[in-house]
Amino acid sequence: MTPFQHGRPLPAAPAHLPPAVLSARGLVKSYEATRALAGLDLDIRAGESVAVMGPSGGGKTTLLHCLAGIVTPDAGQVLLQLDGATTDVAGLDDRRRSALRRSTFGFVFQQGLLIPELTALENVAVALMLLGVDRRGAEHSAAQWLGALGLGGMEDRRVGQLSGGQAQRVAIARAQVSGASVVFADEPTGALDSGTSAEVMDILLRSTTGTGRTLVVVTHDDDVARRCARTVHLRDGRIVRDSLCPGTAA
Amino acid sequence: MSAALRSASPRAEAIGGAAGAGVPLRVAVRLAWLLAKPSANGLSSSVLPVTAFAFVTALLLTVVAGGLAFLQWQDETGQLYLALAAIATSLLVVPLMTLGGSAARLSARRRDGRLATLRLLGAPSGTVAVMTVAESMMLAAVGALAGIVGHLLLLPLVQLIPFRGEALGGAVWMGPGPVALVALGIVALAALSAVLGLRRIVISPLGVRTRQQVPKLHWWRAVVAVCVIAVVSVVMGNLGGAQDFATVVVVLAVGFGGALGVLNLIGPWAIGVVARRQARSARSLERLLAARQILDSPKAAWRQVSGVAMTCFVAVFAGTGAALMNAAGPLEGSERFLGDDVRTGVLITIVASFLMVACSAGITQASLLLDRRDLYVGLDRLGMPTGTMEASRTRAVLLPLLVVSIGSAATAVVVVLPLAGMALIVAPLSVAVILGCLAAGVGLVVLGLRATRPVLSHVLRNPAAAL
């Protein structure tokens, strides 16, 4: 991780709030004639669960991709503060952003994007093997995560042999097995029925904010957003509403 | 509840009736045309199979035309030339048909997803069948036409090749009838392959859509293959007792062709066995991914490298033939050109084999990358380095390559041994040709893999097209 050197100074967090783990400053991103992000500022605090909502084309997924270092913004900064060091994610080269995604971030996508020819256990172990953990150790940790998420006994099933909800739980385990500090989820329940959706959100929240990690969820689903501590509404690449959800712990 | 069911029943009957009657043929053909159009389908899904069919047609026409050109000589030496040409042609026709089959499957496979989706939406199996066959035949026909043009462009070069002291010349031109027949054969092969591939979708649309089914290859493949090779070897050993020359030619051609065909049977099974072992013992991510990718479809893994298997098989014959001519010394009379001509024939056979290898490796790799683009984009987002993806992709090809190269060379030795004896097989010239061909074949496949690197970079640079 490269220590932050040239970033805009971060505002100090109020005494009663934890510090921001991710801060977006003046993010601008365009795709040809379409402006996806138009100078967006956002602070996401450690241990917080944030739902990003808004109409299609409003910039939700682009924001998530910029925060996670999947794409670089045309202008602005994404500052990651971890272990006393600040890193400008957007300023890192491709190789370092990849390394950051492996070590610090976890991802849950709508389609799961699990590797179809691998078993559930191997799919989870991949995240650790990418960090250099040997296969035996990686599969041991992966098995523990699968067991914790209610998938004990399904380790040897291939992705095609799992239901949608089970596959998403495998994706959740993969996102966190390497100890990711921030988990990004893009429509994690988009392909699931309401019952399974609630179950997957339970597991996602319990395993992230429930253990002090940070969760950023892009969703169209009000029920999913209500489960998060905070909801950010985007329209035309800007935040139009940023509200805390009553009754949520984190 | 029962009232609702009763009220719904006339509609249900109507739907059942429509399904029972099936979708009109013109609707199926119209749908096929819609899916085949590049604008609706993405250019790559049509261009790749068409290119593959074009290569197959051009090479097949040239090989068959070259073989038939030897019919011009009716004397005794001419019959020997014809026998050698028949052997060379049989060595090349089987891999060409394999490559043709790959092209046909490529064409059908690229439509698997959408056709399975249509089945899930309720399209009758007849509609899906008509669409699949029609699309594959359309693509094959376009490819075959392009292949004929390619053959016509190659023809002047082939006509320059000297045999028996003079250029082959106009004897290489088969005439429009046989050319059209070969092109129709390619289209028929595409249709047949589409029908065979279709069974999976018609029987289980969900199976194809979600890739639940893990292909299983039975060990009987190995038993059948060993039996066939043993029979071919015994027949070759007793060839000296044959009474007439025509019988010898037919037995040689069928024997070599049969042994090559058997490689197709045993190859995927052997690759699967080795990959399963590798998957169990893999320590690194690249090895695990490669082994699992092979196990996902050992047949597909085999098709990627089958060209090299064939080349290794051909190389053993080529090397032994070269050593034989070397040992025979200078000949006289009508056979005085035989030494040079055998060397020319060997060279042509190997060059044609290499062309097939290059074609097969490039097209299959590009196709695989495009088929799995969403997966590669997803892995990139997880932070998997491009180097790891490349390493697993390379391993997924090199492991089967190693298995089939050694296996096919060994098979060829078993078939050639009764004919030529061990001394000729292990002669320095023979060994040099075999190893040279092996190295060139492996090198070509690696080059084919390298050539597709930009495709991976393109996929990763344009993730929106994948997801």
Side-chain angles (χ1 to χ4, degrees), chain B residues 6-331:
Chain B
R6 273 196 301 277
S7 67
S9 61
R11 189 161 164 254
E13 276 173 25
I15 293 168
V23 174
L25 184 67
R26 62 187 162 78
V27 175
V29 172
R30 203 176 294 161
L31 273 170
W33 177 248
L34 187 72
L35 290 178
K37 280 200 296 188
S39 56
N41 191 21
L43 200 62
S44 59
S45 60
S46 304
V47 168
L48 279 174
V50 167
T51 309
F53 281 123
F55 269 109
V56 170
T57 309
L59 287 172
L60 186 61
L61 281 171
T62 309
V63 165
V64 171
L68 291 178
F70 288 85
L71 283 171
Q72 64 177 307
W73 295 300
Q74 300 297 327
D75 60 324
E76 201 175 311
T77 311
Q79 284 194 329
L80 177 63
Y81 273 80
L82 190 60
L84 294 172
I87 294 168
T89 308
S90 74
L91 287 173
L92 290 175
V93 164
V94 173
L96 262 174
M97 297 309 281
T98 309
L99 184 56
S102 300
R105 272 185 292 272
L106 180 67
S107 149
R109 186 163 51 86
R110 298 193 69 72
R111 278 151 184 81
D112 267 7
R114 279 166 304 123
L115 292 175
T117 303
L118 282 174
R119 280 282 288 139
L120 287 171
L121 289 174
S125 55
T127 307
V128 173
V130 170
M131 284 176 62
T132 307
V133 176
E135 283 180 58
S136 287
M137 287 175 74
M138 270 191 279
L139 294 174
V142 174
L145 281 176
I148 291 174
V149 174
H151 170 61
L152 294 177
L153 291 174
L154 277 174
L155 214 50
L157 294 175
V158 179
Q159 286 174 338
L160 293 175
I161 297 172
F163 276 101
R164 302 191 75 178
E166 57 183 281
L168 280 174
V172 183
W173 170 240
M174 292 191 291
V179 168
L181 210 61
V182 169
L184 282 175
I186 293 285
V187 176
L189 178 75
L192 181 70
S193 188
V195 169
L196 292 175
L198 189 69
R199 284 185 311 184
R200 286 181 308 145
I201 298 172
V202 174
I203 293 167
S204 171
L206 278 171
V208 173
R209 195 80 195 97
T210 60
R211 301 176 69 179
Q212 284 175 355
Q213 293 163 340
V214 183
K216 286 209 172 80
L217 297 172
H218 210 269
W219 53 263
W220 62 256
R221 283 170 172 264
V223 175
V224 171
V226 168
C227 291
V228 171
I229 290 167
V231 168
V232 169
S233 181
V234 169
V235 170
M236 293 293 178
N238 293 298
L239 205 56
Q243 293 301 312
D244 66 305
F245 188 69
T247 309
V248 174
V249 172
V250 170
V251 169
L252 279 174
V254 171
F256 292 151
L260 272 173
V262 153
L263 284 180
N264 272 316
L265 197 67
I266 196 172
W269 176 81
I271 287 171
V273 169
V274 176
R276 203 165 294 120
R277 206 167 277 182
Q278 172 109 327
R280 273 198 298 268
S281 64
R283 296 257 169 264
S284 70
L285 185 54
E286 297 93 275
R287 280 174 183 268
L288 176 65
L289 284 174
R292 286 292 186 204
Q293 190 183 327
I294 295 166
L295 282 175
D296 197 43
S297 177
K299 284 184 183 175
W302 159 253
R303 281 195 292 274
Q304 281 192 76
V305 296
S306 60
V308 171
M310 303 305 171
T311 310
C312 287
F313 192 86
V314 171
V316 173
F317 289 93
T320 314
L324 178 67
M325 296 315 300
N326 214 30
L331 298 168

Side-chain angles (χ1 to χ4, degrees), chain A residues 36-188:
Chain A
L37 296 176
L40 183 144
D41 291 323
L42 176 68
D43 285 320
I44 295 169
R45 305 196 180 285
E48 195 174 29
S49 56
V50 180
V52 181
M53 296 193 79
S56 294
K60 305 184 298 292
T61 297
T62 304
L63 172 62
L64 184 137
H65 287 176
C66 283
L67 292 174
I70 291 170
V71 297
T72 49
D74 300 332
Q77 293 174 318
V78 175
L79 305 174
L80 173 71
Q81 294 192 109
L82 267 181
D83 305 327
T86 304
T87 307
D88 180 5
V89 176
L92 299 175
D93 62 26
D94 187 53
R95 193 176 53 82
R96 288 183 179 190
R97 278 188 285 120
S98 289
L100 190 67
R101 293 201 294 274
R102 285 197 297 274
S103 62
T104 309
F105 298 150
F107 297 92
V108 181
F109 303 106
Q110 180 177 351
Q111 309 95 321
L113 288 182
L114 300 170
I115 303 172
E117 51 264 32
L118 297 189
T119 63
L121 183 74
E122 288 165 348
N123 261 294
V124 179
V126 159
L128 284 171
M129 291 173 80
L130 274 172
L131 291 172
V133 178
D134 69 90
R135 185 175 173 187
R136 188 187 294 264
E139 290 191 343
H140 179 71
S141 301
Q144 286 183 326
W145 265 96
L146 287 176
L149 298 188
L151 294 174
M154 297 186 188
E155 292 86 352
D156 292 331
R157 289 198 189 176
R158 280 158 52 100
V159 177
Q161 295 169 309
L162 298 170
S163 69
Q166 288 166 343
Q168 278 305 62
R169 279 190 271 170
V170 173
I172 291 170
R174 183 181 66 179
Q176 298 180 75
V177 70
S178 57
S181 302
V182 184
V183 173
F184 295 97
D186 191 354
E187 300 281 7

